Every structure is written in C-alpha cells, then in structure tokens.
Amino acid sequence: MQLIDAHHHLWDLQAVHYPWLEARGVRRFFGDPTPIQKNYRVPDLRQDAAGHELLGSVHVQVGCAPGQELAETRWLQRQADKHRLPSAIVAAIDLTSADVDDQIAEHRAAAPLLRGARQILGREPQDDIRTKSGALLLQSEFAQGLRSLAHHDLSFDLQLTVPQIPAFATLLEEIPDLRVALCHCGSPWDQSQAGLQTWKHGLAALAGTPGVVCKLSGLSMFRPRGTTADFVRLTSTVLETFGPARCLFGSNFPVDGLHRHYGDIVSATHAAVAPLGALALRQVFVDNAKRFYRI
C-alpha cells in the first residue's frame, strides 16, 4: 500500500539530546519508554513500515533539550539528503520568543524541508498540570508567534488535550490564515460517554475553521489495550467531523510502536476509511499530506 506518513519521529542520541529519552526508569504519559530509548533512524522507520510503500513522511519535533532545536532540524535535513526521508520537517520553535522571526529564518536556512512548527500545549491532563504547558494559551507572545508562522507561510502542528480546545478555537478566530494540523485526533484521553461527547464537540469547533486538518494518529497512546473496533470507531468519528479531504494518516512511530505494530495501525485506519471509497483512501493516505505539507 502506498502512503505518506504525516506524523512520525526520528532521533539519534549522539547527535541531539532528548532528556525524556535519556532519563531511565521514568514512566511517561504514553507508557514505559524503555523499548524506544535508543536510536531510531530512517532505516528503522522503513523496517517498521515494511510491506508498505512510503512515498514520503513528515517528521514532527520530539522534545529535544532546550537549545538543541536547530541541531535537530539540521540533523533531520541531513537524513533527508541521505535517505530521501523525511519529506517535510515540523520543527521545535519557541513561539513565545521575542526573536521568533529570527528563529524561523535560522530553521529555514538550515532545512529547505521546513514546513511548520510544533509547540505542545497539552499531552495528558495530569502531565499538563505538572508541566503547565497549557499556560501558553494565555500568553500574547504565543499568539504573536502563531501569527509569525502564518506570515512565513508555515503551518502549526497542534497537540493539546480536549479541555484546551475551546480556548485554542477562540484564539484561532484571530488568526484565520494560519494552517493547523491537529495532532492525534485531539487527544481523546477520557473515553467515557461524557468524555467522548466533549471530545466530539471540540473536534467540531476546530473543524469549523477551514484551515484546520486532523491527523489520524496517536490513538494507541490513549487506549493501549483497545481493540481494532475501538480504533475504527474513534477514527470514524474524526472522519465524520472533518471529512476525508481534511484527514491525514500518521503512525506516531516509534511511540505508538510501544502498543501496536505499524501494519496494524495502517490496517485499522484503512478499515475506518475504506467504506468512504477509493478517493477517500487516496486523500487520507497520500494526497492530503502531500498538499498540506507541500511534499
């Protein structure tokens, strides 16, 4: 099967420092990271995706140490030059910095494949309380950083939790020309009936802005022991809300690899999209990522 993986990670622990990968014995919000606390490069991604034809891929920043952001971008461009993957880079940029435009210029000079930035607003409710990442939504500097991305024709990869969606949707009304890729289906941690209803309302609020697309990614983090039927049900809800023309397949590997094989994620996503027809499959697995990230 041909596909573009619109959300994955790579790292070389000798080239760039990642505190969360170097900290041993610390459980993370997505589970025990021990099996992935080692180098993960393009050949590893290709091996995990064996059986599928990777037409391209999008690398999303993955929590490097402060001050290492540009080093990560430079390393990724070197991998692309050597391996022809990734095809697009979503960099770590501090959008609250007074010199955000200079940072953007540096990343762009370092990597012709730069297509956007991600600064995480939320990971998991308890983790967010500890890190106070959601405070970004209250900072005028963050909003100005988003405007800078739009000005430079770069997109924003949005990772947040469901309770944060209304505030971001309101902020987005002030920056209508910003292109946004919602990561991991909006992070549906609470899968009780009430929790899923709140999640659906949040998705609808973001889908009301035409510049927002949604990545069908990361679902294994929220329900590691979920069945394929659970996976398909959640994916189908996103497809119903955004439509197949605004949804992108992403593996979130190697993080989701802690819970599912790459092929299982592809198959479950395919099962959710297939009833919508051949055009929808092409859009979700190839065309939407190609268009959004200019691959």
Side-chain angles (χ1 to χ4, degrees):
M1 179 174 173
Q2 293 184 329
L3 58 89
I4 293 176
D5 189 336
H7 194 110
H8 72 85
H9 309 292
L10 302 167
W11 51 72
D12 185 315
L13 301 183
Q14 286 69 53
V16 182
H17 295 299
Y18 298 92
W20 68 276
L21 281 168
E22 295 163 6
R24 299 292 174 174
V26 180
R27 187 173 181 83
R28 298 285 294 171
F29 65 93
F30 51 77
D32 179 6
T34 301
I36 59 174
Q37 290 182 309
K38 58 185 178 181
N39 290 340
Y40 190 80
R41 306 187 184 99
V42 174
D44 300 304
L45 176 66
R46 289 191 185 279
Q47 181 175 344
D48 282 331
H52 306 288
E53 184 181 355
L54 279 177
L55 300 178
S57 76
V58 180
H59 181 278
V60 181
Q61 67 87 10
V62 67
C64 63
Q68 290 276 288
E69 296 89 351
L70 196 57
E72 180 183 56
T73 294
R74 286 171 173 153
W75 179 77
L76 288 164
Q77 184 65 50
R78 292 198 298 272
Q79 304 319 296
D81 293 340
K82 180 178 180 180
H83 298 289
R84 294 181 291 116
L85 289 180
S87 316
I89 296 170
V90 176
I93 297 176
D94 183 1
L95 299 176
T96 66
S97 296
D99 66 344
V100 63
D101 290 295
D102 292 335
Q103 289 189 45
I104 289 172
E106 289 179 328
H107 281 270
R108 179 162 269 162
L113 292 179
L114 181 72
R115 296 292 184 268
R118 179 173 77 160
Q119 189 167 10
I120 294 176
L121 296 173
R123 297 175 176 86
E124 184 272 335
Q126 293 304 311
D127 190 79
D128 297 343
I129 292 172
R130 180 180 60 82
T131 62
K132 297 181 174 61
S133 57
L136 284 170
L137 282 166
L138 305 176
Q139 299 182 32
S140 59
E141 294 86 353
F142 177 68
Q144 186 55 47
L146 293 176
R147 292 187 184 94
S148 291
L149 286 180
H151 173 74
H152 291 282
D153 196 23
L154 295 173
S155 61
F156 180 63
D157 262 46
L158 171 63
Q159 183 170 338
L160 80 178
T161 52
V162 172
Q164 298 169 329
I165 290 178
F168 189 86
T170 299
L171 176 60
L172 197 55
E173 292 175 0
E174 304 172 11
I175 320 170
D177 54 343
L178 177 66
R179 294 180 298 110
V180 175
L182 176 62
C183 298
H184 308 330
C185 302
S187 302
W189 285 103
D190 182 357
Q191 295 188 18
S192 66
Q193 184 175 355
L196 289 174
Q197 194 62 34
T198 302
W199 170 61
K200 291 177 184 178
H201 286 313
L203 290 180
L206 291 173
T209 301
V212 180
V213 300
C214 187
K215 294 188 184 183
L216 305 177
S217 64
L219 289 177
S220 297
M221 294 190 296
F222 314 123
R223 198 165 183 174
R225 295 180 179 84
T227 65
T228 297
D230 295 327
F231 196 107
V232 170
R233 185 177 64 255
L234 292 171
T235 302
S236 296
T237 296
V238 179
L239 287 163
E240 290 167 5
T241 306
F242 279 89
R246 293 170 63 193
C247 291
L248 296 67
F249 166 79
S251 70
N252 195 37
F253 254 59
V255 178
D256 268 36
L258 293 169
H259 310 298
R260 281 184 173 83
H261 294 297
Y262 195 103
D264 292 339
I265 294 173
V266 173
S267 296
T269 306
H270 187 281
V273 181
L276 302 178
L279 175 59
L281 284 169
R282 179 74 187 183
Q283 289 173 323
V284 169
F285 282 99
V286 178
D287 291 347
N288 297 341
K290 183 181 292 187
R291 180 181 66 254
F292 188 86
Y293 288 107
R294 303 192 295 276
I295 293 174

